[in-house]
């Protein structure tokens, strides 16, 4: 075999090549036609291709863009290559007639699913070479689609080529293509890769001369062009495909005829062999029968002895080969008839004389054949009646019944297959009777028994099928009922289990509304019980229907419902538990809880009635105390008396608080955690009561301190009233204290220089340090009075006290206990002695005390 791969070890249509060439089906690349060499190749190739088809209609074209302008030859070309009739062309010479004809051709092309991109009838009529070539290329791609589709995956010849355009330039591929299909036309081994022109011309000439493929390409154009026109190459290669595909069809047809003739010749040869063998055997029989029938006695002992020896030779020498020939004759006859039947030929009919012999020789064969077939049949039928009469389906499940039916269908198929054997047995018996077989009575009796048994098997088979199908239908009904039962029992069982869980679920409520909601929901649940009971009865009725069908038809149900594990007994048990046990228990629990919540509600109302009176009372008292402390009606002593009387009235209200505490204790014991009848809680009221007591006590203390301050500082009632008025004026929120900004505004109104500058901020910071030592950001009225009295009256200082102690000490830096007891009252003297530290100066004497540190400590300037 020629190694085409040695010439070009490349692949014709690579994966990328497929993409490149198939893209041209959708778009005509007009830019390629700008190359004159390509346009020249395409003109020649496309013209030759068109003429290869037009010559079938007895015409051709010379100039591709001129001869198609009137549309007549274009329509004719399409009719030839498609085998279809186009609309009748217009024969006028006017431009409109030509455009109409071309449009008919283009419409026909478009009807085949071909896109004609920017190709119009006017351009073809105008003789536009680019458009005309593009149209012809589109026609080639469409109407030689079998070649195009073939080339999408691989080339149709063994020689594989790669880079389609370049692989044809050396001419080897064209020669390989021809050699692959017609090796006698090309001596491929003599071709040289370095002589492409010779190779190409050789291929073109051979193709034109022997394959009827017109020369569409010039060798020089291909060799001298860097990149030959792909469309011209593909068009020419497609002609090879069509040429070789036609030859392949002819070869296939010839092979079919040869095969048929070969079978016929073989059959005729077998017939001739049979006729010759039968003729020879009959001739031997005709010669032998008179010799065997000769009963004439011989006259001498020698003659008789010779006759005996001749008969012995006949039995030992002459008869055995003839018996073998007779057997071979039967074999040949059967083989011939089988081959004729398999090849759809009529049966072979020997000549009449030979038929007589064949009938005689076939009689024993038929009898033996009858015995063999009868024995095989009787062996097959053994035990079949017992199998067909068993009632295994009575206890079978549906799946087992279906399996039995499948098995029975298989048996019926087997039975049907044996029908031919029974008919053959009957036919052989009939034939033996017609041929007057000597043992016909026994044959007939055996055949009669077989036929009767066959009829019985048929009846039993039909009866068993009917029983199986009836049982299957009944079990399917039961299965449907089982499925219906399962579909309804599952949700009902889930409902009952959910109901049981809900009925046994512990509930926690906090008020009457919640328990009443539960009671309402429970009543609604109880109202659904009658409907649920109907569903239960319907489910149980399904199961009862199953039992009824099974009992009526004698079906023994084996196993439980295959679709569910929920039994009727479990449903009844759960239903009885819900209806007779859980529902009454739930009723009782809900009523008990209702009574408890009613009692709790009474406790809530009782507490709320008291709380709703005490809460506002405390609030009013707090507001009155605040008003009293602000308004300053009368003297401080009058205010103090009024506040103490007010305090007493508050204390006398304590029994109401105690009673409320008792009600609260009952609520706590009842585990009541909310009360919708009041916004007051015991803790709230308790805090309010304590604040009320604290506020009245603190207010009384403030009045007492104001009295002390007044007496100590010598402040008049009018000054106090003025202080209070100023304080209240700047206390905008009536909180009883001045915030930092309010206090600053007050100081500015009193003439203090605390404006928003560095010096003013420093002064304000100093004052705030005096009135608000704890940095709370607020100034009380008492601190305000102390500051104002300190600023307006003469006050003692640490230095003044030190100077006083120095006088008592006789101008010494220390003082003794004796001097203190002598100059001060006893209790004050002992107070000083107990708190003064020992003096440790250089002039110290025993028991000397440090009055200086004591004095500074009195005013917070040091620690005692």
């Amino acid at each position: 075999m020629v190694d085409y791969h040695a010439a070009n070890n490349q692949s014709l249509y690579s994966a990328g090549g497929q993409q490149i060439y198939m893209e041209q089906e959708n778009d005509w690349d007009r830019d390629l036609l700008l190359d004159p060499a390509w346009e020249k190749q395409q003109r020649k190739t496309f013209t030759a291709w068109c003429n290869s088809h037009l010559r079938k209609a007895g015409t051709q074209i010379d100039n591709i863009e001129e001869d198609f302008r009137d549309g007549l030859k274009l329509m004719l070309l399409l009719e030839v290559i498609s085998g279809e009739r186009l609309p009748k062309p217009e024969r006028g010479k006017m431009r409109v007639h030509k455009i109409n004809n071309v449009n008919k051709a283009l419409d026909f092309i478009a009807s085949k699913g071909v896109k004609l991109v920017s190709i119009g009838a006017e351009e073809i009529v105008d003789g536009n070479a680019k458009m005309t070539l593009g149209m012809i290329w589109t026609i080639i791609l469409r109407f030689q689609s079998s070649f195009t589709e073939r080339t999408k995956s691989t080339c149709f010849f063994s020689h594989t080529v790669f880079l389609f355009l370049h692989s044809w330039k050396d001419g080897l591929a064209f020669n390989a293509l021809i050699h692959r299909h017609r090796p006698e036309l090309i001596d491929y081994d003599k071709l040289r890769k370095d002589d492409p022109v010779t190779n190409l011309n050789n291929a073109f000439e051979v193709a034109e001369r022997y394959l009827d493929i017109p020369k569409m390409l010039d060798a020089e154009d291909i060799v001298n062009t860097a990149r030959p026109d792909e469309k011209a190459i593909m068009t020419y290669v497609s002609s090879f495909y069509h040429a070789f595909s036609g030859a392949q069809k002819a070869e296939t047809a010839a092979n079919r005829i040869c095969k048929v003739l070969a079978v016929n010749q073989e059959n005729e040869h077998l017939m001739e062999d049979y006729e010759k063998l039968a003729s020879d055997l009959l001739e031997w029989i005709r010669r032998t029968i008179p010799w065997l029938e000769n009963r004439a006695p011989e006259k001498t002992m020698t003659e008789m002895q010779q006759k005996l020896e001749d008969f012995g030779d006949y039995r030992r020498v002459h008869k055995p080969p003839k018996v073998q020939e007779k057997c071979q004759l039967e074999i040949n006859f059967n083989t011939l008839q089988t081959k004729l039947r398999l090849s759809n030929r009529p049966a072979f009919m020997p000549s009449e004389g030979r038929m007589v012999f064949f009938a005689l020789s076939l009689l024993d064969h038929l009898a033996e054949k009858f015995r063999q077939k009868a024995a095989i049949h009787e062996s097959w039928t053994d035990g079949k009646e017992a199998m067909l009469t068993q009632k295994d389906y009575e206890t079978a499940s549906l799946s087992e019944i279906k399996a039995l039916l499948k098995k029975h269908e298989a048996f019926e198929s087997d039975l049907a297959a044996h029908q031919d054997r029974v008919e053959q047995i009957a036919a052989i018996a009939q034939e033996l009777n017609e041929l007057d077989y000597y043992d016909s009575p026994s044959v007939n009796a055996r055949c009669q028994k077989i036929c009767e048994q066959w009829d019985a098997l048929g009846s039993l088979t039909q009866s068993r099928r009917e029983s199986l199908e009836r049982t299957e239908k009944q079990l399917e009904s039961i299965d449907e009922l089982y499925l219906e039962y399962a579909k309804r029992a599952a949700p009902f069982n889930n409902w009952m289990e959910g109901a049981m869980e809900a009925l046994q679920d512990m509930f926690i409520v906090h008020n009457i509304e919640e328990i009443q909601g539960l009671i309402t929901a429970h009543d609604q649940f109880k109202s659904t019980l009658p409907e649920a009971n109907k569903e239960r009865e319907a489910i149980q009725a399904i199961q009862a229907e199953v039992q009824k069908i099974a009992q009526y038809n004698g079906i023994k149900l084996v196993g439980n419902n295959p679709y569910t594990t929920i039994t009727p007994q479990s449903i009844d048990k759960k239903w009885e538990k819900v209806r007779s046990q859980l529902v009454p228990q739930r009723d009782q629990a809900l009523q008990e809880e209702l009574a408890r919540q009613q009692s709790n509600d009474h406790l809530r109302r009782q507490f709320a009635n008291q709380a709703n009176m005490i809460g506002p009372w405390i609030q009013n008292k707090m507001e009155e105390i605040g008003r009293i402390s602000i308004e300053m009606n009368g003297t401080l002593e009058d205010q103090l008396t009024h506040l103490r009387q007010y305090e007493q009235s508050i204390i006398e209200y304590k029994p109401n608080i105690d009673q409320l505490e008792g009600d609260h204790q009952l609520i706590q014991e009842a585990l009541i955690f909310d009360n919708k009848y009041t916004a007051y809680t015991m803790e709230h009221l308790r805090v309010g009561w304590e604040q009320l007591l604290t506020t009245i006590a603190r207010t009384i203390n403030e009045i007492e301190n104001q009295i002390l301050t007044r007496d100590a500082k010598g402040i008049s009632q009018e000054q106090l009233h003025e202080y209070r008025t100023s304080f209240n004026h700047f206390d905008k929120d009536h909180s009883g204290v001045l915030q930092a900004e309010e206090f600053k505004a007050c100081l500015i109104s009193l003439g203090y220089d605390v404006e928003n500058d560095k010096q003013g901020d420093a002064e304000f910071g100093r004052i705030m340090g005096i009135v608000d030592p704890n940095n709370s950001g607020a100034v009380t009225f008492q601190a305000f009075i102390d500051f104002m009295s300190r600023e307006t009256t003469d006050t003692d200082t640490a230095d003044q006290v030190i100077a006083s102690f120095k006088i008592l000490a006789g101008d010494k830096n220390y003082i003794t206990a004796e001097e203190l007891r002598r100059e001060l009252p006893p209790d004050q003297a002992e107070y000083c002695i107990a708190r003064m530290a020992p003096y440790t100066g250089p002039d110290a004497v025993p028991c000397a005390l440090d009055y200086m540190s004591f004095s500074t400590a009195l005013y917070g300037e040091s620690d005692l």
Side-chain angles (χ1 to χ4, degrees):
M1 180 181 291
V2 177
D3 184 9
Y4 303 126
H5 297 275
N8 268 314
N9 189 18
Q10 299 165 326
S11 175
L12 175 59
Y13 288 101
S14 63
Q18 294 182 30
Q19 182 69 22
I20 293 171
Y21 296 123
M22 295 319 300
E23 286 176 354
Q24 299 170 26
E25 294 185 14
N26 299 325
D27 190 12
W28 172 250
D29 190 352
R30 296 169 184 78
D31 294 337
L32 297 180
L33 291 177
L34 298 178
D35 188 337
W38 283 14
E39 185 172 342
K40 177 183 176 183
Q41 290 179 16
Q42 286 184 12
R43 282 175 185 273
K44 181 172 182 178
T45 301
F46 290 179
T47 299
W49 181 86
C50 292
N51 285 333
S52 69
H53 292 286
L54 287 173
R55 67 183 179 182
K56 299 174 184 176
T59 186
Q60 67 177 21
I61 61 172
D62 297 319
N63 189 312
I64 196 165
E65 65 264 27
E66 290 295 330
D67 293 346
F68 283 146
R69 290 180 62 184
D70 59 3
L72 296 177
K73 290 188 177 181
L74 178 60
M75 295 178 69
L76 182 61
L77 173 65
L78 291 174
E79 288 184 347
V80 171
I81 62 178
S82 68
E84 300 180 26
R85 293 290 298 176
L86 270 69
K88 186 177 180 180
E90 299 180 11
R91 295 295 178 179
K93 300 296 184 181
M94 299 177 64
R95 177 179 173 83
V96 66
H97 298 143
K98 297 178 181 180
I99 290 176
N100 289 340
N101 288 339
V102 174
N103 273 329
K104 290 176 182 179
L106 296 181
D107 290 343
F108 177 78
I109 296 171
S111 70
K112 300 303 180 182
V114 179
K115 281 187 177 181
L116 294 170
V117 182
S118 301
I119 299 177
E122 292 80 1
E123 294 168 314
I124 304 300
V125 172
D126 291 339
N128 187 315
K130 291 187 293 182
M131 295 303 171
T132 302
L133 292 174
M135 178 188 66
I136 296 301
W137 174 242
T138 303
I139 293 172
I140 292 172
L141 287 178
R142 170 59 183 86
F143 294 101
Q144 298 214 20
S145 59
S146 60
F147 168 74
T148 304
E149 291 300 322
R150 186 81 176 266
T151 56
K152 284 182 180 179
S153 59
T154 184
C155 188
F156 55 87
F157 56 93
S158 297
H159 175 59
T160 56
V161 284
F162 178 66
L163 296 176
F164 188 83
L165 303 177
H166 299 284
S167 297
W168 303 98
K169 289 187 65 174
D170 59 9
L172 292 177
F174 287 112
N175 285 276
L177 178 59
I178 298 171
H179 187 272
R180 167 62 178 82
H181 295 275
R182 297 288 300 276
E184 75 279 5
L185 300 179
I186 298 287
D187 188 354
Y188 190 83
D189 293 332
K190 291 184 177 180
L191 300 175
R192 298 189 323 181
K193 186 176 179 64
D194 57 357
D195 190 3
V197 174
T198 301
N199 296 339
L200 289 168
N201 285 328
N202 181 65
F204 297 160
E205 291 169 2
V206 169
E208 187 173 21
R209 181 176 180 183
Y210 297 102
L211 303 179
D212 197 26
I213 298 174
K215 185 177 180 181
M216 301 181 186
L217 302 171
D218 286 331
E220 291 76 9
D221 293 341
I222 296 175
V223 172
N224 297 328
T225 303
R227 185 168 181 260
D229 179 61
E230 58 190 82
K231 298 173 184 61
I233 296 294
M234 288 185 67
T235 302
Y236 185 56
V237 173
S238 70
S239 299
F240 283 93
Y241 169 75
H242 288 284
F244 291 141
S245 64
Q248 184 66 33
K249 291 178 182 177
E251 183 180 351
T252 302
N255 290 338
R256 181 182 294 277
I257 293 172
C258 291
K259 181 179 179 182
V260 171
L261 294 178
V263 171
N264 219 52
Q265 289 173 336
E266 183 182 3
N267 291 339
E268 289 181 356
H269 179 69
L270 289 174
M271 292 177 188
E272 292 172 359
D273 289 347
Y274 175 82
E275 291 285 353
K276 183 177 186 307
L277 186 60
S279 298
D280 293 345
L281 189 58
L282 282 174
E283 180 63 28
W284 179 82
I285 291 173
R286 279 194 296 270
R287 291 197 312 268
T288 306
I289 288 176
W291 180 74
L292 291 173
E293 291 178 344
N294 183 12
R295 300 292 189 269
E298 299 300 327
K299 295 178 180 180
T300 64
M301 179 62 67
T302 303
E303 291 176 350
M304 180 58 69
Q305 192 173 6
Q306 182 62 43
K307 194 171 186 176
L308 284 173
E309 289 178 0
D310 292 342
F311 185 70
D313 290 341
Y314 163 76
R315 295 185 64 184
R316 291 192 307 273
V317 179
H318 301 291
K319 183 180 179 181
K322 297 305 177 182
V323 172
Q324 185 65 34
E325 288 180 12
K326 174 179 173 291
C327 180
Q328 185 63 44
L329 187 66
E330 293 176 0
I331 292 172
N332 290 353
F333 181 81
N334 292 334
T335 300
L336 176 60
Q337 297 290 47
T338 300
K339 288 190 174 184
L340 290 172
R341 185 174 64 255
L342 292 176
S343 59
N344 295 321
R345 303 296 198 283
F348 170 62
M349 299 297 295
S351 61
E352 184 176 354
R354 297 186 185 89
M355 284 296 292
V356 174
F357 165 74
F358 182 72
L360 293 174
S361 62
L362 192 62
L363 197 59
D364 289 338
H365 174 72
L366 285 175
E368 181 61 26
K369 191 173 184 180
F370 172 84
R371 287 189 290 273
Q372 290 178 356
K373 287 185 176 294
I376 293 173
H377 177 77
E378 289 164 350
S379 174
W380 179 82
T381 58
D382 185 34
K384 294 295 188 292
E385 289 187 12
M387 183 269 289
L388 292 171
T389 54
Q390 62 181 340
K391 296 184 178 182
D392 50 347
Y393 51 83
E394 291 184 349
T395 58
S397 63
L398 179 60
S399 59
E400 291 171 340
I401 281 291
K402 290 185 180 296
L404 289 175
L405 266 171
K406 292 290 185 184
K407 183 178 179 181
H408 190 70
E409 289 172 1
F411 172 75
E412 287 178 328
S413 299
D414 195 14
L415 187 70
H418 280 76
Q419 176 71 30
D420 289 341
R421 178 175 287 116
V422 174
E423 292 175 355
Q424 290 172 8
I425 291 172
I428 294 173
Q430 178 67 25
E431 191 172 355
L432 289 172
N433 278 279
E434 291 175 355
L435 295 175
D436 293 328
Y437 181 59
Y438 74 94
D439 199 16
S440 292
S442 63
V443 169
N444 293 336
R446 192 172 185 182
C447 181
Q448 181 66 26
K449 182 179 178 182
I450 289 173
C451 290
E452 289 175 353
Q453 186 186 36
W454 182 255
D455 292 338
L457 286 176
S459 299
L460 290 174
T461 300
Q462 181 63 26
S463 176
R464 181 170 174 82
R465 167 169 278 281
E466 292 173 354
S467 298
L468 288 172
E469 289 178 343
R470 182 175 60 255
T471 304
E472 180 189 33
K473 186 176 180 180
Q474 294 162 357
L475 287 177
E476 283 178 344
S477 299
I478 291 175
D479 190 70
E480 290 176 0
L481 290 172
Y482 272 151
L483 182 58
E484 179 66 19
Y485 175 91
K487 287 180 177 179
R488 298 180 69 171
F492 184 74
N493 185 69
N494 290 339
W495 174 83
M496 283 199 301
E497 289 180 349
M500 293 170 65
E501 183 179 352
L503 290 171
Q504 296 177 89
D505 189 23
M506 183 181 71
F507 54 85
I508 298 176
V509 295
H510 303 93
N511 51 56
I512 290 180
E513 288 77 9
E514 291 181 2
I515 189 61
Q516 287 176 340
L518 289 178
I519 292 173
T520 301
H522 185 62
D523 289 340
Q524 291 175 350
F525 169 75
K526 289 193 294 183
S527 68
T528 64
L529 291 180
E531 193 66 29
N533 190 41
K534 290 181 182 179
E535 178 65 12
R536 181 188 66 84
E537 291 173 349
I539 293 171
Q540 298 293 41
I542 295 173
Q543 182 64 24
E545 182 66 17
V546 170
Q547 298 296 335
K548 180 181 177 182
I549 293 174
Q551 185 176 0
Y552 180 79
N553 295 284
I555 298 174
K556 300 175 184 178
L557 296 175
V558 179
N560 298 320
N561 189 325
Y563 299 108
T564 182
T565 58
I566 303 170
T567 63
Q569 294 77 15
S570 67
I571 289 178
D572 284 343
K573 184 177 180 181
K574 290 177 182 177
W575 173 257
E576 190 61 26
K577 183 176 181 180
V578 168
R579 186 183 64 84
S580 303
Q581 179 181 345
L582 297 180
V583 170
Q585 289 177 356
R586 189 71 167 186
D587 283 332
Q588 181 181 354
L590 289 173
Q591 291 303 319
E592 290 175 354
E593 182 62 26
L594 176 61
R596 191 175 75 84
Q597 288 300 328
Q598 288 173 340
S599 174
N600 290 350
D601 198 65
H602 173 72
L603 292 176
R604 287 191 186 93
R605 291 177 183 274
Q606 181 175 314
F607 176 85
N609 290 337
Q610 284 291 102
N612 289 337
M613 290 188 299
I614 292 174
W617 183 86
I618 292 174
Q619 185 65 29
N620 290 336
K621 293 301 180 184
M622 291 287 289
E623 292 174 357
E624 289 179 7
I625 292 171
R627 191 165 54 252
I628 290 171
S629 64
I630 292 174
E631 290 177 353
M632 295 187 64
N633 294 325
T635 64
L636 291 177
E637 285 77 3
D638 293 339
Q639 292 178 33
L640 183 60
T641 301
H642 186 199
L643 285 172
R644 283 177 175 166
Q645 291 173 352
Y646 208 81
E647 182 182 30
Q648 186 60 35
S649 68
I650 291 173
I651 293 172
E652 291 173 355
Y653 197 77
K654 181 68 165 54
N656 294 317
I657 302 298
D658 295 339
Q659 181 181 351
L660 191 63
E661 286 283 6
D663 294 341
H664 177 67
Q665 182 63 28
L666 295 176
I667 286 178
Q668 292 291 100
E669 292 173 356
L671 301 177
I672 299 172
F673 303 106
D674 64 329
N675 194 335
K676 66 178 181 178
Y677 302 112
T678 181
Y680 296 103
T681 63
M682 193 64 235
E683 184 65 26
H684 180 208
L685 294 175
R686 215 180 268 127
V687 171
W689 174 255
E690 292 171 355
Q691 286 180 346
L692 179 61
L693 294 177
T694 302
T695 300
I696 188 65
R698 186 170 60 246
T699 304
I700 290 173
N701 180 255
E702 287 178 355
I703 298 299
E704 290 175 344
N705 287 336
Q706 290 176 21
I707 292 173
L708 290 174
T709 301
R710 181 197 64 186
D711 294 343
K713 304 296 183 180
I715 302 173
S716 65
Q717 184 67 29
E718 290 76 12
Q719 286 178 308
L720 284 174
H721 183 74
E722 183 181 350
Y723 293 159
R724 169 57 72 179
T725 301
S726 298
F727 188 88
N728 290 344
H729 175 75
F730 290 97
D731 183 14
K732 301 299 182 181
D733 55 0
H734 304 290
S735 60
V737 295
L738 295 177
Q739 299 301 323
E741 291 301 320
E742 293 175 338
F743 182 58
K744 177 183 270 190
C746 180
L747 291 177
I748 293 172
S749 68
L750 294 174
Y752 285 87
D753 185 13
V754 290
E755 296 292 342
N756 292 327
D757 55 21
K758 188 173 183 181
Q759 184 177 357
D761 290 342
E763 178 62 14
F764 181 71
R766 181 189 69 81
I767 295 172
M768 283 297 292
I770 295 172
V771 299
D772 183 24
N774 296 325
N775 295 323
S776 64
V779 180
T780 64
F781 182 64
Q782 184 62 45
F784 180 73
I785 293 175
D786 290 344
F787 173 73
M788 294 305 297
S789 63
R790 186 180 300 113
E791 292 294 317
T792 57
T793 62
D794 181 23
T795 57
D796 293 329
T797 63
D799 292 338
Q800 292 174 335
V801 173
I802 290 172
S804 299
F805 271 115
K806 196 165 188 178
I807 293 172
L808 296 179
D811 206 29
K812 298 192 296 294
N813 290 330
Y814 59 88
I815 192 170
T816 63
E818 181 180 356
E819 291 171 335
L820 288 172
R821 291 189 180 100
R822 183 179 66 239
E823 299 295 338
L824 297 177
D827 58 336
Q828 292 180 343
E830 295 302 324
Y831 177 84
C832 292
I833 293 170
R835 285 168 174 75
M836 283 187 183
Y839 178 72
T840 58
D843 53 344
V845 298
C847 298
L849 299 175
D850 187 355
Y851 60 81
M852 293 183 183
S853 62
F854 175 77
S855 299
T856 57
L858 287 176
Y859 290 91
E861 298 179 6
S862 65
D863 297 328
L864 285 176

